[in-house]
């Protein structure tokens, strides 16, 4: 669990001072992680094979097949909730070094992507002679992506704090964690409302 790898105090005084000024304490992050886990449980997003790191540098356009792309760098790939890969994909629209959340895809852009995602998933399922025991309803996918994007903000902020202590790469990991956490808290009510609505719907069944 990355959360347990965040040091109580950073080794470098400058890093500790920056974290003290910009970030909540680790026990506060634990509360947010627990809250997110409860929301993900309510969402009931299926576990699928995920890339988990769809930065723009990991998606290549193919010269000989301009209507297709290839994914590279499967270091973080593995089984995960579908909502994370969808939401993380949308967060990556905003960049990494200096994230601009105004670039987060609009509702129409999300629907265009998710409609094609659902179409292709159904096509591959038919081709392989398998059945998909999961929803490909676009409204469900969009709901999943909204919660997944918040899971992405929370996870990469925690990852960044681990890197701030251990990475040898010259990068302002504390500042990056702060950016992702600020966006998480800015949109926190949004994903809480989704979880509340889902629990309310199940309570009427």
């Amino acid at each position: 669990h990355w959360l347990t790898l965040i040091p109580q105090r950073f080794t470098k005084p400058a890093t500790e001072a920056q974290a003290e000024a910009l970030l909540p304490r680790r026990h506060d992050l634990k509360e947010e992680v627990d809250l997110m886990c409860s929301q993900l449980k309510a969402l009931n997003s299926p576990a699928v094979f995920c890339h988990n790191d769809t930065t723009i540098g990991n998606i290549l356009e193919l010269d000989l097949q301009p209507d297709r792309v290839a994914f590279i760098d499967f270091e973080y790939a593995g089984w995960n909730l579908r909502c994370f890969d969808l939401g993380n994909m949308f967060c990556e629209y905003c960049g990494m070094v200096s994230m601009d959340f105004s670039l987060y895809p609009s509702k129409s852009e999300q629907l265009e992507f998710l409609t094609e995602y659902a179409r292709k998933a159904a096509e591959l399922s038919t081709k392989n002679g398998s059945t998909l025991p999961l929803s490909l309803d676009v409204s469900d996918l969009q709901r999943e992506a909204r919660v997944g994007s918040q899971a992405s903000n929370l996870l990469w902020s925690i990852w960044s704090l681990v890197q701030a202590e251990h990475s040898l790469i010259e990068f302002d990991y504390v500042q990056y964690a702060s950016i992702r956490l600020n966006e998480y808290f800015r949109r926190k009510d949004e994903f809480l409302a989704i979880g509340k609505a889902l629990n309310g719907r199940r309570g009427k069944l």
Side-chain angles (χ1 to χ4, degrees):
H1 198 301
W2 282 345
L3 190 63
T4 64
L5 299 178
I6 300 174
Q8 293 294 338
R9 294 186 64 84
F10 290 97
T11 303
K12 296 180 179 179
T15 303
E16 175 62 26
Q18 185 184 21
E20 180 74 24
L22 296 177
L23 301 168
R25 284 298 182 183
R26 193 171 72 173
H27 68 270
D28 295 326
L29 288 176
K30 175 65 165 57
E31 292 177 1
E32 298 304 327
V33 169
D34 290 343
L35 177 61
M36 175 57 70
C37 286
S38 69
Q39 298 303 302
L40 292 173
K41 183 177 181 180
L43 187 65
N44 200 31
S45 181
V48 299
F49 185 79
C50 294
H51 184 282
N52 292 319
D53 190 22
T54 49
T55 65
I56 190 171
N58 289 337
I59 305 174
L60 305 181
E61 184 176 357
L62 303 178
D63 290 339
L64 299 180
Q65 297 175 288
D67 60 334
R68 302 187 66 183
V69 297
F71 292 87
I72 63 171
D73 191 357
F74 288 82
E75 176 185 2
Y76 292 109
W79 290 96
N80 199 353
L81 300 183
R82 179 176 66 182
C83 66
F84 180 84
D85 235 18
L86 294 175
N88 190 60
M89 176 80 177
F90 291 158
C91 285
E92 297 296 353
Y93 279 57
C94 306
M96 178 174 177
V97 177
S98 56
M99 296 191 75
D100 180 358
F101 286 102
S102 69
L103 299 177
Y104 192 87
S106 65
K107 184 176 180 179
S108 62
E109 290 171 330
Q110 294 175 45
L111 290 175
E112 181 180 5
F113 176 89
L114 295 171
T115 298
E116 180 61 18
Y117 174 93
R119 185 195 69 78
K120 192 63 178 179
E123 176 187 306
L124 290 173
S125 177
T126 301
K127 181 179 179 180
N128 296 331
S130 62
T131 57
L132 287 171
L134 45 87
S135 172
L136 288 175
D137 180 83
V138 174
S139 61
D140 287 342
L141 293 174
Q142 188 173 39
R143 187 182 301 111
E144 286 185 33
R146 288 168 64 190
V147 177
S149 67
Q150 286 294 78
S152 170
N153 284 325
L154 189 56
L155 180 138
W156 290 120
S157 66
I158 293 170
W159 169 88
S160 194
L161 292 178
V162 175
Q163 299 305 311
E165 177 68 11
H166 300 288
S167 178
L168 299 178
I169 298 173
E170 287 295 325
F171 183 76
D172 193 343
Y173 286 106
V174 173
Q175 179 64 31
Y176 181 72
S178 175
I179 291 170
R180 298 302 295 256
L181 278 174
N182 285 341
E183 180 65 6
Y184 167 83
F185 284 114
R186 187 182 73 83
R187 295 180 55 201
K188 183 176 177 178
D189 289 345
E190 177 185 323
F191 83 84
L192 287 177
I194 293 173
K196 183 177 180 180
L198 289 172
N199 285 326
R201 184 193 306 173
R202 292 192 181 99
K204 295 177 181 179
L205 296 179

